[in-house]
Amino acid sequence: MQRRTLLKLAATLSAIGIGRAQASPSPSIHNKEPITMDDVIIIGGSFAGLAGALQLGRARRKVTVLDTGLQRNRFAGRSHGVLGHDDKPPSAILTEARQQLARYPAIKMVNARADNISGTIDNFSVLTGDGEIRSARRVILSYGVVDQMPDVSGYAENWGTSVIPCPYCDGFEVAGQHWGLVWSGPQSMNQVRLFHDWTDRLTVFADGHDITPEIRADLAGRRVPLVDGRITEIARHGSHGATIKIDTGPDVAVDILFAHPRTKPSASLHDTLG
């Protein structure tokens, strides 16, 4: 084959992409332009969000944590059952966690609310409450849930002190005392059975629910008083104690009241992402 023919064939193959591939230019090591896109933006800076930031920071990923400081357990005086941090205030645990993350230069903590997320993998944009737009290749949603307080006087005011949701979190500190339980449905019977691990003194408040005869008989067999009527007010007395006001009868005093309000996500950014 003549040289001219070979040159024409090489040119044709190159034109349709079969010729020798062109090497992509390598980024210059002298390029000083700052990188504006994070590897990950974490929305929510409580226990879960900071745990994620720790692992990403150790992997040398560039991470920004957006946090409003409104963690769910901020109403609790102490946090229990967290190995290495038992009986510490939740705020103290978070402060220590942030101090530990400060040794990782790739992690940035920002006190801001995320208002909107747009984009897709490798190109997400997060709009913050102060109007700033931040970009990242990935987004972690760790904003958790918020408790929905019922419209009962004293309920929200005493949440986390005299009114609590979890015996594993705070039951040990009030074991053997007089407990109250706000009935929230048939599943509350599981709580009645469970509470006997901590106390033999329990009063159940129907709070307007229709309690079946079978459940009433079960409670009576366990010597658990049932107070009918709807709760109208919760008044605190002492460091741990609540007086429950009922619309159809006399007040009832307990040392601690367990209740399980409904929860909802503390933000709706997941809806934006579909």
Side-chain angles (χ1 to χ4, degrees):
M1 189 178 292
Q2 296 181 356
R3 180 173 181 274
R4 181 178 298 178
T5 304
L6 287 172
L7 290 174
K8 287 183 178 180
L9 178 60
T12 302
L13 292 174
S14 178
I16 62 176
I18 303 178
R20 184 178 179 182
Q22 295 289 325
S24 300
S26 301
S28 172
I29 61 174
H30 302 292
N31 185 4
K32 301 297 184 181
E33 183 178 348
I35 300 174
T36 58
M37 177 175 283
D38 289 326
D39 289 310
V40 182
I41 291 177
I42 298 177
I43 300 175
S46 190
F47 293 3
L50 296 186
L54 174 61
Q55 297 302 325
L56 288 165
R58 291 189 59 79
R60 303 181 70 186
R61 297 292 187 177
K62 186 180 179 185
V63 182
T64 294
V65 180
L66 301 180
D67 183 35
T68 61
L70 300 176
Q71 69 273 13
R72 184 187 181 193
N73 66 352
R74 67 188 183 277
F75 303 102
R78 298 278 173 172
S79 181
H80 301 113
V82 182
L83 187 63
H85 299 285
D86 190 44
D87 203 36
K88 285 185 181 179
S91 58
I93 299 175
L94 289 175
T95 297
E96 184 177 350
R98 294 187 187 104
Q99 291 171 347
Q100 292 176 0
L101 292 181
R103 68 186 286 253
Y104 297 98
I107 301 175
K108 183 179 182 180
M109 304 291 299
V110 178
N111 183 18
R113 184 186 69 250
D115 283 348
N116 186 63
I117 302 176
S118 59
T120 186
I121 290 176
D122 288 329
N123 189 25
F124 286 106
S125 294
V126 178
L127 174 65
T128 65
D130 54 10
E132 186 175 359
I133 297 178
R134 296 177 176 271
S135 300
R137 295 178 175 84
R138 300 290 189 274
V139 174
I140 293 178
L141 305 180
S142 64
Y143 44 73
V145 299
V146 62
D147 297 292
Q148 297 180 275
M149 299 292 107
D151 187 19
V152 174
S153 176
Y155 196 114
E157 294 80 358
N158 292 302
W159 182 247
T161 53
S162 296
V163 185
I164 57 179
C166 175
Y168 291 103
C169 298
D170 298 291
F172 182 86
E173 283 67 31
V174 291
Q177 299 184 31
H178 185 187
W179 290 16
L181 172 65
V182 180
W183 193 266
S184 58
Q187 69 277 4
S188 292
M189 198 63 209
N190 295 328
Q191 301 294 318
V192 172
R193 301 184 186 99
L194 182 66
F195 285 1
H196 283 299
D197 290 340
W198 286 272
T199 186
D200 293 327
R201 293 188 291 163
L202 174 64
T203 297
V204 172
F205 297 89
D207 195 27
H209 287 86
D210 185 17
I211 310 297
T212 65
E214 292 78 13
I215 290 179
R216 289 178 180 271
D218 194 337
L219 292 173
R222 298 173 186 272
R223 297 182 180 179
V224 175
L226 174 63
V227 178
D228 286 305
R230 188 172 294 277
I231 297 174
T232 60
E233 184 180 352
I234 300 172
R236 181 177 178 181
H237 62 269
S239 58
H240 273 294
T243 298
I244 317 302
K245 298 182 180 296
I246 307 296
D247 62 355
T248 58
D251 300 348
V252 180
V254 296
D255 293 308
I256 197 75
L257 183 65
F258 285 82
H260 303 91
R262 294 180 180 274
T263 62
K264 66 176 182 179
S266 57
S268 58
L269 299 173
H270 51 285
D271 291 332
T272 305
L273 297 171

